Amino acid sequence: MQAIILFGVLASTYLMVIAKRTPALIRYFRYQSFFLFLATFAVAIEERQIDLYIIAGLLFVIKVCAIPYFLNRIIKRMKVSEDLGLFVNAQLSLLCVLGFTYLSWVFAERILAPRNEAQAIMLAVAFFVVLAGMFLMVFRMTALAQIIGLLVMENGLFLLASTVSGGMPFFVEIAIFFDVFVSVIIMGFFVYRINKLFTHIDVNKLSRLKG
Amino acid sequence: MQIFFILAIPIFLAAGAFLIGKQKIFCTLNAIGYLAVLVASVMLLRKMVLSESANSYFSFIYFDALSAFFIFVISVIAFAAALYSISYIKKDIDSGVISERKAKIYYILFNLFCFSMLLVPAVNNLGMLWVAIEMTTLISAFLVGFYNNKESIEAAWKYIIICSVGIIFALLGTILFSYAFSLLGDVKSLNWSDMVANAGRMDKNILKIAFIFILVGYGTKAGLAPMHTWLPDAHSQAVAPISALLSGVLLKTAIYAILRFGIITIKGVGFAYFGNLMVLLGIISLAISCGFILVQKDLKRLLAYHSIEHIGIISIGFGIGGILGVGGALLHVFNHAVTKALMFFGAGNVVNKYRTHNMHVIRGVIGTMPFTGFMLLMGAFALAGMPPFSIFISEILIICAVFLKGYYLVTFLLLGFIAIIFGAVVHHFSKILFGSIPKGMSVVKEPLSGKMAFLFLFVQICALGIVLPFIKKDLIWMVQKLFQG
């Protein structure tokens, strides 16, 4: 079961890296969050903890439903081009990300001293998701892609936290969820502003401030 | 007990800003509120130093001398900024740059921003520390993009994105710290006090890696080069009182977070690892800021690069350690905050009057605004590290510490960069302060509340340059004990 979920997380991350249009990226982000939800839910059933049920519920409501809905609404309302603006084409991106997969495996196995094989794989996947999120932030040009990249990094951290220490303390987890949600809303607000003032959301062209 | 007053007052003031319609009444109330916060923080600091112990409430709030000191610095600058806001916001309303409603939003955000900064040194849980620092970013992004023009929105976007990525790395570091702690198999906890007690038994390799992530993550927020790229944009575009808060204390809250994790690292892997990394980043920050200060054209960006320089010096001070290094760095945290706030207030007045940031256009500030001009002149010398001002004392302490530790190359670089920056500062400020007054500029009378803010800060710059208020078992001695392995 766990293997299937991890495979799902990996596959949806690869799909995100080769996506060329923003709605596709958001859809794959939704898949990834859904797999995270499944992972948390599975642990919750196993351990019978009310905290974990609440966290899984929040994950579903915020990351699977609310945030993708909100991002889709921004796209509809702004009527900007749906093209992501790839610095690096899809094939090369995929190659880079495969390299990241190997690196995170090496990092997880050699440095973090995992207890067993299963934990090593989970650590590697978590680090890989963080790296892939960073890749998206750096090599995609629109402001929306940067927001999604940030969310992907955050997903990776969630996976990491649940792997290494059985999750953060409950109220910290809740605070982080709230924080992520608020930051997405605030960033969305700034994307509106950028679109209004500059009539585009290509962050590569934001270059008034220099030196 | 005082800590609850300190945290509650900004919340009440934020609610007050929301409810009270009249700006004129509220801005005075705001300043009085922060005076109360300042008094409470002085009492807290005194209590912490005299009792020589750490306090905690419900295992959520925890503070010792180090926290009390940072809370004190934050409340000094917050009070000065509240005082300066009175005249600055009034001027903006009168000249039609912002509406009354926008001024109301300003005060709500100002108070929430101060609350989030005051929360950072008070929490015990390292996850909550992360949440509080992320909160400061989210709230201040609105204050950076406050004027809603192309430049400020660009600055706000870069600020929020770069700091969010940075802070994600900090969260990664935090998770790794909790991983190292959980490997011990005792209790599941993210509390700093629990971790530091068990630091000696944690896995050394994981601690090392985790601290690098923390340094990159919170270092982004602290403005340590090469992760500083958001800083000049955000500082130059924010509202002037907010620039002072950003530069004076927001960077320091991130330094505080680094120190908290640093203390765990020191106890776990020894001082040299922590020290070398801090010194390295400090030198890089000095080098990069030095270059940009020399060629700078924009007044507020010039001051922003100065913040990077001084953060570099602070990080070198903590990296060297010992009573001289830590003491110098602590004093520098305070001195830089006060001096930089004074300079940003001055720059705010100049920019308001000349309607430009460009230092090639601004001329004869002493002539048009005698009071602000004089303060800027004194502040520029203080910032560059001239005696008898306070920054001189803290810089010389840090330089002594570096030299005594036998880091001759670092001493050489530190002195060299400080000398170059001194020249650049004198050059830039003599150009804008003196010279003929541009045509059509009249001499203006400055409002009393604005002057009060300047004088409040200036007295502290002078006083700490002449007297060092040390007693035998004092604050610095207590804090440097924390940094021993």
Side-chain angles (χ1 to χ4, degrees):
Chain A
M1 183 65 195
Q2 209 177 30
I4 297 170
I5 291 169
L6 280 180
F7 181 75
V9 172
L10 262 182
S12 52
T13 316
Y14 287 133
L15 281 174
M16 260 190 249
V17 172
I18 54 171
K20 285 183 185 143
R21 286 151 45 86
T22 320
L25 191 62
I26 297 172
R27 193 164 61 240
Y28 300 140
F29 170 72
R30 182 176 270 171
Y31 293 166
Q32 191 189 49
S33 308
F34 184 70
F35 282 116
L36 278 187
F37 157 74
L38 281 185
T40 321
F41 197 66
V43 180
I45 293 173
E46 212 171 277
E47 304 205 350
R48 296 180 179 284
Q49 275 186 11
I50 189 83
D51 294 7
L52 283 171
Y53 280 113
I54 294 175
I55 289 171
L58 273 175
L59 192 67
F60 188 77
V61 171
I62 291 180
K63 280 193 174 155
V64 184
C65 303
I67 289 178
Y69 170 76
F70 179 68
L71 292 173
N72 275 324
R73 221 178 61 137
I74 292 182
I75 296 182
K76 268 192 200 127
R77 291 230 334 231
M78 285 199 317
K79 302 191 186 76
V80 286
S81 144
E82 289 177 348
D83 203 22
L84 269 176
L86 275 61
F87 269 125
V88 183
N89 67 24
Q91 291 82 355
L92 203 58
S93 303
L94 193 60
L95 269 182
C96 288
V97 169
L98 284 173
F100 286 160
T101 321
Y102 178 70
L103 276 183
S104 36
W105 166 252
V106 172
F107 181 76
E109 205 194 13
R110 299 267 168 81
I111 297 173
L112 291 180
R115 289 188 207 101
N116 48 41
E117 187 99 335
Q119 201 189 23
I121 292 174
M122 277 187 77
L123 281 175
V125 172
F127 265 101
F128 163 67
V129 174
V130 174
L131 283 175
M134 210 169 88
F135 180 84
L136 283 177
M137 288 199 74
V138 177
F139 291 108
R140 299 291 178 265
M141 282 181 232
T142 65
L144 278 170
Q146 288 193 324
I147 299 181
I148 297 171
L150 199 64
L151 287 166
V152 171
M153 285 176 85
E154 220 281 327
N155 269 353
L157 284 189
F158 182 85
L159 195 57
L160 184 70
S162 52
T163 318
V164 297
S165 52
M168 301 260 203
F170 179 62
F171 72 103
V172 176
E173 199 86 82
I174 298 289
I176 290 174
F177 265 119
F178 180 69
D179 211 276
V180 168
F181 190 53
V182 172
S183 62
V184 168
I185 289 184
I186 290 175
M187 285 174 198
F189 168 83
F190 277 108
V191 170
Y192 270 121
R193 286 278 175 82
I194 291 175
N195 190 39
K196 215 170 162 191
L197 285 168
F198 293 85
T199 65
H200 64 74
I201 53 167
D202 186 344
V203 284
N204 199 33
K205 288 189 201 145
L206 296 184
S207 52
R208 289 177 152 254
L209 300 166
K210 267 183 189 156
Chain B
M1 206 54 231
Q2 290 91 338
I3 190 81
F4 294 110
F5 281 108
I6 293 171
L7 292 176
I9 290 171
I11 290 284
F12 280 120
L13 285 174
F18 183 67
L19 295 172
I20 297 172
K22 279 244 183 252
Q23 278 314 309
K24 274 182 194 144
I25 304 171
F26 182 74
C27 59
T28 323
L29 187 68
N30 198 42
I32 295 172
Y34 280 98
L35 184 62
V37 172
L38 178 59
V39 171
S41 73
V42 171
M43 282 159 65
L44 181 73
L45 187 61
R46 200 181 130 75
K47 197 176 88 182
M48 294 321 295
V49 173
L50 290 182
S51 69
E52 289 186 44
S53 61
N55 264 5
S56 70
Y57 294 102
F58 328 114
S59 88
F60 176 71
I61 284 174
Y62 171 94
F63 51 93
D64 50 17
L66 184 65
S67 325
F69 176 76
F70 276 86
I71 289 176
F72 168 67
V73 178
I74 294 167
S75 36
V76 168
I77 305 301
F79 171 59
L83 209 55
Y84 179 73
S85 293
I86 298 176
S87 61
Y88 190 86
I89 293 299
K90 189 171 167 292
K91 214 187 276 170
D92 268 4
I93 294 176
D94 289 346
S95 59
V97 179
I98 57 172
S99 60
E100 280 263 344
R101 200 174 144 267
K102 200 105 197 258
K104 196 174 181 174
I105 295 174
Y106 168 82
Y107 275 115
I108 296 174
L109 290 172
F110 177 93
N111 282 304
L112 290 177
F113 183 37
C114 287
F115 167 74
S116 56
M117 284 196 295
L118 287 166
L119 188 61
V120 172
V123 291
N124 189 6
N125 190 299
L126 293 173
M128 286 316 280
L129 179 78
W130 182 86
V131 170
I133 289 190
E134 173 74 355
M135 229 164 87
T136 62
T137 315
L138 294 178
I139 296 165
S140 53
F142 283 111
L143 290 163
V144 171
F146 192 67
Y147 289 126
N148 209 359
N149 50 25
K150 283 190 172 181
E151 283 83 5
S152 64
I153 290 294
E154 182 185 332
W157 178 258
K158 284 183 182 165
Y159 173 47
I160 199 167
I161 282 293
I162 296 176
C163 285
S164 297
V165 175
I167 213 112
I168 290 266
F169 281 112
L171 186 58
L172 185 53
T174 310
I175 292 172
L176 289 179
F177 265 98
S178 91
Y179 174 54
F181 186 58
S182 74
L183 282 182
L184 298 179
D186 300 354
V187 270
K188 186 173 151 187
S189 161
L190 259 180
N191 284 353
W192 181 82
S193 47
D194 296 335
M195 280 201 195
V196 89
N198 295 301
R201 297 191 289 132
M202 290 193 204
D203 186 304
K204 287 194 172 47
N205 283 331
I206 298 179
L207 276 191
K208 279 183 179 171
I209 293 278
F211 185 65
I212 297 237
F213 279 116
I214 291 292
L215 203 54
V216 169
Y218 287 129
T220 309
K221 197 79 206 287
L224 282 169
M227 295 85 75
H228 67 281
T229 43
W230 63 274
L231 192 149
D233 297 346
H235 287 204
S236 64
Q237 295 304 322
V239 196
I242 302 302
S243 301
L245 279 175
L246 285 176
S247 172
V249 283
L250 178 72
L251 308 182
K252 299 341 181 319
T253 56
I255 286 282
Y256 170 84
I258 293 178
L259 292 181
R260 279 287 170 212
F261 284 98
I263 291 172
I264 303 178
T265 315
I266 290 170
K267 309 252 192 255
V269 258
F271 189 83
Y273 182 74
F274 165 81
N276 291 342
L277 279 173
M278 294 293 273
V279 170
L280 178 72
L281 279 184
I283 288 289
I284 296 175
S285 303
L286 270 170
I288 287 183
S289 65
C290 178
F292 280 101
I293 285 171
L294 276 174
V295 296
Q296 199 48 247
K297 291 199 269 300
D298 181 316
L299 177 59
K300 285 181 91 175
R301 289 179 86 85
L302 174 75
L303 294 176
Y305 279 109
H306 267 291
S307 302
I308 300 174
E309 178 217 341
H310 286 284
I311 285 293
I313 296 176
I314 290 169
S315 124
I316 292 176
F318 281 118
I320 292 299
I323 193 131
L324 276 179
V326 172
L330 272 188
L331 281 174
H332 205 79
V333 165
F334 180 75
N335 295 341
H336 169 246
V338 220
T339 318
K340 191 48 71 61
L342 180 100
M343 293 304 281
F344 267 118
F345 292 169
N349 283 355
V350 172
V351 170
N352 244 348
K353 173 85 182 156
Y354 287 77
R355 298 265 151 234
T356 174
H357 287 194
N358 191 334
M359 288 192 292
H360 293 319
V361 181
I362 303 169
R363 285 282 177 280
V365 174
I366 288 262
T368 52
M369 291 186 287
F371 182 79
T372 304
F374 176 72
M375 282 297 155
L376 271 179
L377 181 63
M378 291 295 126
F381 278 118
L383 196 61
M386 270 275 277
F389 300 112
S390 55
I391 282 191
F392 169 75
I393 301 287
S394 42
E395 278 184 1
I396 202 94
L397 281 178
I398 292 173
I399 291 168
C400 288
V402 181
F403 192 77
L404 285 177
K405 197 151 187 197
Y407 288 11
Y408 300 118
L409 179 67
V410 177
T411 321
F412 170 74
L413 288 173
L414 184 58
L415 279 171
F417 286 131
I418 288 177
I420 296 171
I421 289 169
F422 184 88
V425 169
V426 173
H427 167 72
H428 285 308
F429 277 94
S430 62
K431 264 199 339 199
I432 67 162
L433 290 175
F434 304 110
S436 55
I437 303 168
K439 280 192 187 114
M441 283 281 172
S442 54
V443 179
V444 284
K445 201 173 170 305
E446 289 162 58
L448 184 67
S449 64
K451 281 187 183 174
M452 292 266 284
F454 281 102
L455 287 176
F456 170 69
L457 295 171
F458 188 63
V459 165
Q460 299 181 55
I461 294 175
C462 293
L464 270 181
I466 298 163
V467 199
L468 281 182
F470 287 163
I471 39 177
K472 198 174 151 225
K473 273 202 170 179
D474 64 354
L475 172 78
I476 287 171
W477 185 82
M478 282 167 59
V479 171
Q480 70 92 21
K481 258 186 74 168
L482 280 176
F483 285 85
Q484 281 163 6

